[in-house]
Amino acid sequence: MNVITKVILLIVLIVTPIIGLFAYTNQQSVHVIEDQINTRNEEKLSYFLNEIERLLDQNMMYATLATKDPEIRDVSFGNLPPSGYDRQNVIQSIQSKLRLFSITNQVMNVISVYFPKSDLSLSTMSSAIFGQAEVQNQFTANWKLNKVDVNGVQMEAFSRYFFSPYQVDPHNLMNADLIIRVDFFTQNITNLLDGFTLAGHSDAFFYHSPDQVVYSSKANTELIQQVMKLYPLDQYTSKTKSYDIVKIDGKKYLLYTLASSKMDWSLVDIEPLDQILQPVVVSRNLFYVILLLLLLFGIVSALLLYSHIHVPIRILIRGVEHIKNKNFAYQIKSRRKNEFQQLFDSFNGMAVEIDQLLKRVYTEEVRSREAVMKQLQSQINPHFLYNCLAYIVNMAKMNKNQSVIAMAHNLGDYYKYTTRNESLVTTLRMEIDLAISYLDIMNSQLDKLAYTITIPENMLDFQIPKLLIQPIIENAIVHGLEDKLEDGVIAITGMADQVCRLVIEDNGSGLTSDALQMLRKTTGQEVNISERTGLWNVNHRLKYYFGEHSGIQIDHSALGGLRIELYWEIVEKEGAA
């Protein structure tokens, strides 16, 4: 373990307990804040829900007071003047009392009375007058959300019916002395929710079901709809109160619900947890940034120590090891404005003469290697050549001069192309010509090959690396078609768009699925570990010339053998030869 490693390890050991302690205290702080938020929101929800229930209780109280009024009770018993001034005077008096009840309540509401025995309806708002049909169709003993006509405008309100005497059967309300309906507008709850929202960052709403919701005037309805969609509230509102952390669009929210004890509704509040904890998060991030800066400062200090002392010593040690291993050409190229530079210059001067000698030896070695490479490039397949020459001899003995001439021409074209070393790049047209020469040579020997070539004219002048197609055809013949008794077929098809594709198929014996999978694996490896180098060589030369978005694909062919597809992107360096 070197000096720099020890210093960095020491810094890490010092910083780790600090990070652990801060993470623990930060987590505890977050828990305390969340507990405080939960307590505050629970109290706030309880307060505002009590306010809503108090307003509803007030409306019930005024409805009860109306049933106790002597004049209203007198009319409910059927003692209403039949006509004239007295009747009108009684009606106006009752309407005035109803308005007084409504005004005293200090909320937006409508109080309506129906006297079954007199078939008389009175209300604080003329458009809200109801009769026997409305009672029978809309009666509910609990508060229910519906639409109320207010001077031609439909407004949402909570409605509830009261009747006297209380012993009357609810299914036969026409036997009651009077029926009172109180309409408590949801705007009153909206106003309360506005006050609730102003007390924090929350979005509060009154909830019964997804289609019966009372929002505040500034509610983020889009957020609330997302919450109701992703986290159905019925699972929460079924409890007296609940609390949960939900995540919307990657942000955390606190979800609170508190059920009303007097109606089948719940008060729901959504608090942005990330926004509430923002100061804590900022402090935490600031601590981590400062800690990171301190850590970087420590590492930089260790690196400076490493660079100015440890590295020069290691350079000298490495130079001595090279000299020891008879690598006398090694030179220290470091330039330092300190005492080490004089030592480096002395080391380099010591090896100058030996370096010159070894450079000459190295030059001779490079020339030798280049000669070997040229020799390897010029080598031909002796087995292939012997077969072709034997075929020529046999045809000559049989006086088949045309076959001899054709074989000689094809063989000459083939070796003239394969032994040309001045360029490693050719055109697709020349590669196809070579493939035709090779197929004609093999067909002359085997006399059972047929081939088709279908390539667009605009592809033939594209530049490609040499010897891409012939090795694939050779593989197809040697490993798939040569041992077959039936005639062999090779199809070469080209297509070009943004990507050029060249497909070579045969009807040979093919491969099993396992063998095909193994062939794909070995062909795509960085280093060839198989005895068969043809496909591996073609794949890697394609990638080297055209980039990573090129290569070969190997699959079963519809003809029965293998389907080899060469593909590459059309790039600027492609063009006419």
Side-chain angles (χ1 to χ4, degrees), residues 68-85:
K68 304 298 183 182
D69 183 78
E71 190 171 21
I72 294 177
R73 287 181 60 84
D74 192 37
V75 174
S76 68
F77 295 147
N79 298 326
L80 179 67
S83 60
Y85 174 79

Side-chain angles (χ1 to χ4, degrees), residues 240-278:
T240 303
K241 61 181 178 180
S242 66
Y243 152 75
D244 196 6
I245 297 178
V246 299
K247 183 176 287 188
I248 304 295
D249 295 334
K251 298 180 180 179
K252 291 182 180 180
Y253 294 86
L254 298 175
L255 178 64
Y256 300 90
T257 62
L258 184 62
S260 172
S261 60
K262 298 185 178 180
M263 55 191 305
D264 191 18
W265 285 67
S266 297
L267 186 58
V268 183
D269 181 33
I270 303 173
E271 293 272 358
L273 181 59
D274 292 340
Q275 186 176 350
I276 295 172
L277 296 178
Q278 185 65 25

Side-chain angles (χ1 to χ4, degrees), residues 445-463:
Q445 297 180 20
L446 301 177
D447 195 24
K448 62 174 183 177
L449 289 180
Y451 61 88
T452 61
I453 300 176
T454 307
I455 298 177
E457 183 66 27
N458 63 334
M459 283 186 65
L460 294 176
D461 292 326
F462 286 167
Q463 288 186 341

Side-chain angles (χ1 to χ4, degrees), residues 126-389:
S126 58
S127 60
I129 292 175
F130 67 93
Q132 179 178 348
E134 288 81 358
V135 172
Q136 293 176 343
N137 293 332
Q138 301 179 4
F139 173 79
T140 173
N142 298 312
W143 292 101
K144 182 180 179 182
L145 185 67
N146 62 4
K147 299 286 187 179
V148 176
D149 186 358
V150 180
N151 298 325
V153 178
Q154 296 292 320
M155 296 183 63
E156 288 189 340
F158 287 98
S159 300
R160 184 174 179 180
Y161 288 84
F162 304 90
F163 52 86
S164 178
Y166 301 116
Q167 296 82 8
V168 174
D169 183 3
H171 297 91
N172 194 8
L173 289 175
M174 292 303 104
N175 293 332
D177 294 334
L178 76 160
I179 301 171
I180 300 177
R181 187 182 75 191
V182 177
D183 298 313
F184 179 76
F185 291 103
T186 57
Q187 184 61 42
N188 300 301
I189 297 179
T190 298
N191 294 336
L192 284 173
L193 293 175
D194 289 341
F196 184 94
T197 304
L198 290 175
H201 306 90
S202 62
D203 270 304
F205 55 96
F206 208 37
Y207 176 86
H208 175 69
S209 62
D211 57 343
Q212 292 190 9
V213 183
V214 179
Y215 302 98
S216 67
S217 59
K218 298 180 180 179
N220 185 350
T221 55
E222 182 178 353
L223 173 63
I224 294 173
Q225 291 296 330
Q226 283 185 287
V227 171
M228 289 194 296
K229 180 179 179 181
L230 298 176
Y231 302 91
L233 295 180
D234 291 340
Q235 61 179 321
Y236 300 106
T237 56
S238 60
K239 306 173 185 178
T240 303
K241 61 181 178 180
S242 66
Y243 152 75
D244 196 6
I245 297 178
V246 299
K247 183 176 287 188
I248 304 295
D249 295 334
K251 298 180 180 179
K252 291 182 180 180
Y253 294 86
L254 298 175
L255 178 64
Y256 300 90
T257 62
L258 184 62
S260 172
S261 60
K262 298 185 178 180
M263 55 191 305
D264 191 18
W265 285 67
S266 297
L267 186 58
V268 183
D269 181 33
I270 303 173
E271 293 272 358
L273 181 59
D274 292 340
Q275 186 176 350
I276 295 172
L277 296 178
Q278 185 65 25
V280 178
V281 174
V282 170
S283 299
R284 181 199 64 193
N285 294 341
L286 182 60
F287 171 82
Y288 286 140
V289 168
I290 294 174
L291 191 64
L292 178 61
L293 291 176
L294 290 175
L295 181 62
L296 290 176
F297 177 77
I299 293 175
V300 168
S301 300
L303 289 175
L304 288 175
L305 178 64
Y306 176 80
S307 174
H308 286 79
I309 298 178
H310 189 71
V311 170
I313 294 175
R314 288 186 60 186
I315 292 174
L316 285 173
I317 293 174
R318 187 165 58 246
V320 171
E321 289 177 349
H322 278 279
I323 296 296
K324 181 180 177 181
N325 294 328
K326 299 182 180 181
N327 184 9
F328 300 106
Y330 184 79
Q331 293 283 305
I332 297 177
K333 299 179 181 180
S334 176
R335 290 290 179 265
R336 296 175 177 270
K337 296 181 180 180
N338 55 27
E339 57 275 11
F340 283 101
Q341 186 58 49
Q342 184 179 359
L343 189 57
F344 291 164
D345 292 340
S346 299
F347 180 91
N348 290 335
M350 181 184 64
V352 169
E353 292 298 329
I354 300 175
D355 179 52
Q356 295 297 324
L357 175 62
L358 293 181
K359 281 184 178 179
R360 289 195 294 271
V361 174
Y362 177 74
T363 301
E364 293 300 325
E365 183 180 352
V366 170
R367 290 176 180 174
S368 175
R369 289 181 180 179
E370 289 179 351
V372 171
M373 289 299 296
K374 289 291 185 180
Q375 180 186 6
L376 291 175
Q377 290 178 356
S378 301
Q379 285 181 345
I380 61 176
N381 187 338
H383 180 71
F384 172 72
L385 178 59
Y386 296 158
N387 289 343
C388 293
L389 293 176

Side-chain angles (χ1 to χ4, degrees), residues 465-530:
K466 290 181 66 174
L467 293 176
L468 288 183
I469 302 175
Q470 186 271 336
I472 298 176
I473 296 176
E474 182 178 353
N475 276 351
I477 295 174
V478 173
H479 300 293
L481 300 175
E482 195 171 32
D483 295 334
K484 284 192 62 172
L485 298 178
E486 301 85 357
D487 290 345
V489 175
I490 292 179
I492 304 175
T493 307
M495 58 206 77
D497 190 5
Q498 294 298 321
V499 176
C500 288
R501 300 183 185 278
L502 195 65
V503 180
I504 303 169
E505 299 182 85
D506 65 79
N507 67 336
S509 55
L511 294 174
T512 63
S513 297
D514 292 340
L516 179 62
Q517 190 65 26
M518 180 59 68
L519 181 60
R520 289 172 179 165
K521 181 179 179 181
T522 55
T523 301
Q525 289 176 337
E526 288 296 327
V527 179
N528 184 35
I529 59 174
S530 173

Side-chain angles (χ1 to χ4, degrees), residues 396-412:
K397 290 180 178 179
M398 298 170 63
N399 293 323
K400 294 185 178 182
N401 296 329
Q402 292 301 323
S403 299
V404 172
I405 293 173
M407 174 61 81
H409 279 302
N410 288 328
L411 192 61

